[in-house]
Every structure is written in C-alpha cells, then in structure tokens.
Amino acid sequence: MSGVSDLRADGLAALEFVAQYLERVGELPVLAQVAPGAIRAQLPASAPEHPEPFSAVLEDLDRILLPGVTHWQHPRYFAYFATSASEPGILAELLAASLNSIAILWRTAPAATELEELVLDWTAELLGLPSGWHGHIEDSASTSTLAAIIVARQATGRELVVCSEQAHSSIEKAVRMLGMRLRRVPCDDAFRLDAAALGDLRDAAAVVATVGTTATTSVDPVGAIADACAGAGAWLHVDAAYAGAAMVCPEHRWAFAGVDRADSLVVNAHKWMLTPFDCSLLWTRRPHDFRAAFSMVPEYLRTPDAEDALSLSEYGPALGRRFRALKLWAVLRCFGRSGLQAHIRNGIELAARFERWVADEPGWELCAPRPFSVVCFRLEGGDEQNQSLLERVNASGEIFISHAKLNGRYVLRMAVGNLRTTHDDVHRAWDVLLAEASKLAEASKLD
Ligand SMILES: Cc1ncc(COP(=O)(O)O)c(C=O)c1O
C-alpha cells in the first residue's frame, strides 16, 4: 500500500485529474467509442502480487479506462435523463468516503443519521411538500419504489399494483421480485394515466402515479388518482424520480397537485438535483408503516439508546447505509434555492428552444407535449430511418441521445439537464442531427 504518507501528494494529483477532467470533458466523445471487451483486454487478468503506487492507478484510469467512459458529465450528454455531479457533491463524496460512517444504527453514525433527516426536511420544504413527512435516502428510485410497494403490501394485505402503461420498468420489476400482480392502466393522448380507466381498486395494494414519465415526462393526474386510492384503501406511491427536482421552482408546482395526499414519494437527487449518483430521496407520511415493514433488530444491534435515537436502517431494506446526506447537504448549501432554480430553468429554456427548432423545420415532427426538459421528436419517415439517425449521431461522438417507443413508433429523445450545457451545445446537437439526417437522405437516394 502506498500508505498514508502519500495521501497529500496522491490526493493533489487526483484532484488535479478531476479538475482537468471537468475542464476538458466537453472535448471528449460523449458516448464511449470502444468495442465490447476492449477495455478488459488491456488490463491484467489477476490482481498485482505486490503493492503499486496510487499514481499507477491514476495513469491507467487516464490511459486505459477513460476511453471506455461514456461521459455523463459531458455538456452534450442528452440521453435518458441528463444529470450532473456538481463540484460540491464530488468533494462531499470524497469526505464521506474518508469518514466511512456506516449508519447501521444511530450510535454508529449519529451525524449521518441526523443530517439525513435534516436534509430531507430541507428538500421537502424546497419542493413545497407538506411539513411533517418522514424522509430517508435510498440508493436508487428502483429501491425506493420497491420499498414503498413492500410497505403497501404489508399495510393493506393485498397483492395488486396498478400503474400506467408509461410507468417506469422498476415498478414491474418490483412487482415481479415480490411475486405480486401488476395491472397497467391506459394513457390519454398526452401519455398521462387515464384516471377514468383505473377500474376497481378494492384489490389494490398500491397505485403508482408518475410525475415525469421516463419516455415523455408526462404528468399523471395525481389528485384524481389520490381520490380513487382513498375510496379503495389503496396506498398511493408517486414516482417523481426525474421531475420532482423541478418543484423547487414554484411555476412547476402544478405538476405536484395532489402529491400532498400520497403515502410515499420518490425524487432522485442524482437526476436533476446536481448530486452525484447515488442519492434517491424517499418520503412518506406513514413512517410507522415503513418501520413496521422494515424494522429488524437482532440482539447484537440492541442498544439502550433512547427511542428518538432513530436508526434509519429500520425504514428500508439495507442495514449498512452510506453517508449520502453529506453530498446533498453540500449541494443544497453551495447552490442554495436560487442556484437550483436557475439550473432547472436553464434546462427547461434550452429544451424549449430545441423544441422550436424542430417544430419549424420541415420534415421533422414533435411527438409529445414537453412539460419539462425532454423533447420527443422524429424525422418524418419510418422507424428504421430514425433508428439509423440515432446510431449515426451517437457514433459521431458529438452528442448522445436516446429513444423511446410512443404509440408503436420509434421516437428520438433529447434530454437537457447537465449543469454545463449551454445554448451552443444544444445548437450543436441540432446541427449534428440536421447534418446526419441529410447524409442519411443522400445515402438512401444512392441505394
Ligand atoms: C420515472 C422513473 N422512475 C424510476 C427510474 C429508475 O431510477 P433509478 O435508476 O434511480 O433506479 C427512472 C430512471 O430513469 C425513471 O425515469
């Protein structure tokens, strides 16, 4: 081991790497341009027998691994949901790893536990949520939703989960893992759950409403769904993994109408809230049901600590919990409400510009309403043509976009959300799309 004596020198080198990386990431190909297996082939098959210096790790990161990195930090990363690990969040990750505070119990990590409760309260207030909800952090929205469904099943004694056709696959996955049943409800022509089609919910353990669906960011009518759940005694879980962050801006709060009546809610701070992956925020207004489902305190974990020395491991599946609150705290303090609002507004404004360019360009069409910072669009023509276009633009290394299927048609998705994305980046994306589309048209004329 290179040891503690090298921490300063190695640390400075690592930090220099980080600073240079963030300065030059915009010049690298967004999507890794490597063949499967190419990275592993350059690395030894076994771990070294003898200690190596940390500098060797840094060198190989730069030379071998970096070409195999798809750059989520790139300003022209527009695929899936664009995210950013901001500098305060990055530094806080380093500090959290240094403390290695593992919150299995309150006494093993009092600061991590209490800070987690505090930052969840802060964030709830920033997003306009009711006061008094209990929040904790999970790794991902998939785990948060799984946890909520486990609690719903236990609280209701029922086995059915209901969500829309546009709900994220994590719901189906949770239902499958739990051996429950899933009913998918059709959507209206704006890809929102059709509340009139919810049907009889007397058998439903939970209904999952989505605020910001994965394909189009559509917003389900949460108020109407809450009415139906209340009438049938079903648990209402709201998946706002992406769009929840936008609620920091009062002008977007319409999308959370009715969320105050949810039993649980997930918002990913690692999506649009400038926090490095992973940091999924899970609130509930029924913490006693969470504790009833997850509390498991074997003898070796029993302590004489008072009841208000809360162990957050009693509110979710994991025993050992990382100090994730530190990075969210750093982000909230270093950006403040105004910084978070500016970030959301910038993403939405850039997406609106892109949407106008598509609307004004003959031969292109918009495919869904745009509530937030994602534009669904396509070339007028066949699915194959759009698929080829996607492959071509992504192979250029200039931009990275993804796709969805809407009403059986292949559509392209442009998701804006990186902290460094500017007007020029979005414009460049449009230029690349136009240029590749015309090359595609030329190529098909020659066929
Ligand atoms: C609406 C929605 N819910 C849940 C998820 C799953 O998120 P995670 O990767 O945190 O599990 C996603 C992922 O993009 C999503 O779009």
Side-chain angles (χ1 to χ4, degrees):
M1 172 62 207
S2 51
V4 176
S5 57
D6 292 336
L7 180 67
R8 284 207 169 79
D10 292 338
L12 286 175
L15 211 53
E16 185 56 29
F17 177 90
V18 172
Q20 283 190 25
Y21 171 70
L22 294 177
E23 278 160 16
R24 72 192 165 112
V25 61
E27 293 150 30
L28 302 174
V30 195
L31 180 66
Q33 310 282 311
V34 287
I39 299 298
R40 186 165 179 167
Q42 297 175 67
L43 296 166
S46 305
E49 188 64 32
H50 300 294
E52 294 182 33
F54 187 78
S55 58
V57 176
L58 217 45
E59 265 164 41
D60 286 354
L61 170 63
D62 193 40
R63 190 173 56 83
I64 302 176
L65 298 188
L66 210 57
V69 173
T70 289
H71 297 288
W72 288 70
Q73 295 278 59
H74 197 295
R76 290 189 304 284
Y77 182 106
F78 299 119
Y80 311 108
F81 284 119
T83 64
S84 303
S86 62
E87 288 85 344
I90 293 170
L91 294 174
E93 279 283 45
L94 171 69
L95 299 172
S98 309
L99 298 174
N100 200 27
S101 189
I102 306 176
I104 57 177
L105 296 171
W106 179 86
R107 66 162 52 183
T108 67
T113 305
E114 294 184 16
L115 191 70
E116 185 164 330
E117 292 182 280
L118 178 81
V119 291
L120 269 281
D121 285 354
W122 279 15
T123 311
E125 195 182 350
L126 286 172
L127 303 185
L129 295 173
S131 60
W133 279 16
H134 178 268
H136 75 272
I137 304 179
E138 293 288 348
D139 55 1
S140 62
S142 302
T143 305
S144 295
T145 293
L146 174 67
I149 293 175
I150 289 170
V151 179
R153 174 160 73 169
Q154 180 148 323
T156 61
R158 302 173 184 172
E159 297 291 331
L160 175 69
V161 175
V162 178
C163 65
S164 93
E165 287 166 345
Q166 292 290 325
H168 189 260
S169 54
S170 54
I171 294 140
E172 185 170 352
K173 190 169 178 179
V175 166
R176 198 171 72 192
M177 288 190 287
L178 295 169
M180 296 172 77
R181 286 181 293 121
L182 183 70
R183 186 163 84 219
R184 292 251 188 205
V185 177
C187 289
D188 64 14
D189 54 11
F191 308 103
R192 300 170 296 208
L193 183 147
D194 177 2
L198 272 170
D200 189 347
L201 295 178
R202 279 173 303 178
D203 258 4
V207 179
V208 181
T210 311
V211 174
T213 56
T214 310
T216 71
T217 75
S218 59
V219 175
D220 288 345
V222 182
I225 299 170
D227 288 342
C229 285
W235 184 282
L236 173 58
H237 175 64
V238 175
D239 176 357
Y242 153 73
M247 304 308 131
V248 72
C249 301
E251 69 271 26
H252 301 303
R253 295 251 175 96
W254 60 268
F256 257 19
V259 170
D260 55 329
R261 293 161 66 201
D263 295 295
S264 54
L265 163 72
V266 57
V267 175
N268 276 351
H270 64 239
K271 276 193 164 58
W272 207 5
M273 214 185 278
L274 300 172
T275 308
F277 191 82
D278 52 0
C279 193
S280 178
L281 315 182
L282 176 58
W283 285 278
T284 180
R285 66 183 171 92
R286 294 171 61 172
H288 298 298
D289 288 320
F290 268 74
R291 199 165 178 194
F294 291 115
S295 179
M296 170 75 64
V297 187
E299 181 54 40
Y300 84 102
L301 296 176
R302 287 190 199 282
T303 70
D305 294 338
E307 175 63 8
D308 61 356
L310 205 70
S311 296
L312 290 174
S313 56
E314 290 185 65
Y315 292 80
L319 174 64
R321 314 180 70 259
R322 317 209 286 121
F323 196 175
R324 293 190 186 92
L326 194 65
K327 57 187 168 181
L328 181 56
W329 188 51
V331 167
L332 297 181
R333 292 185 60 177
C334 298
F335 283 89
R337 184 198 299 267
S338 62
L340 296 174
Q341 288 177 336
H343 173 57
I344 297 290
R345 287 176 181 142
N346 182 52
I348 292 179
E349 167 56 25
L350 293 176
R353 283 183 210 171
F354 182 87
E355 183 184 43
R356 283 197 291 276
W357 299 332
V358 177
D360 292 346
E361 188 72 28
W364 295 76
E365 60 177 310
L366 294 168
C367 303
R370 181 198 48 78
F372 302 107
S373 69
V374 174
V375 183
C376 290
F377 65 106
R378 79 199 296 267
L379 260 180
E380 283 169 2
D383 283 359
E384 254 176 52
Q385 207 181 345
N386 280 284
Q387 208 167 336
S388 307
L389 178 60
L390 177 114
E391 291 307 325
R392 292 179 82 113
V393 299
N394 287 346
S396 76
E398 288 276 335
I399 63 171
F400 181 29
I401 59 169
S402 58
H403 79 282
K405 270 261 164 98
L406 293 179
N407 298 323
R409 293 193 319 164
Y410 189 98
V411 308
L412 308 176
R413 275 175 85 266
M414 170 86 178
V416 185
N418 186 276
L419 187 57
R420 292 184 178 75
T421 302
T422 63
H423 170 91
D424 289 350
D425 293 308
V426 177
H427 207 276
R428 186 129 149 225
W430 184 226
D431 287 344
V432 170
L433 280 155
L434 288 172
E436 291 299 334
S438 65
K439 282 189 215 159
L440 197 62
E442 282 303 312
S444 66
K445 268 191 225 150
L446 296 175
D447 282 348

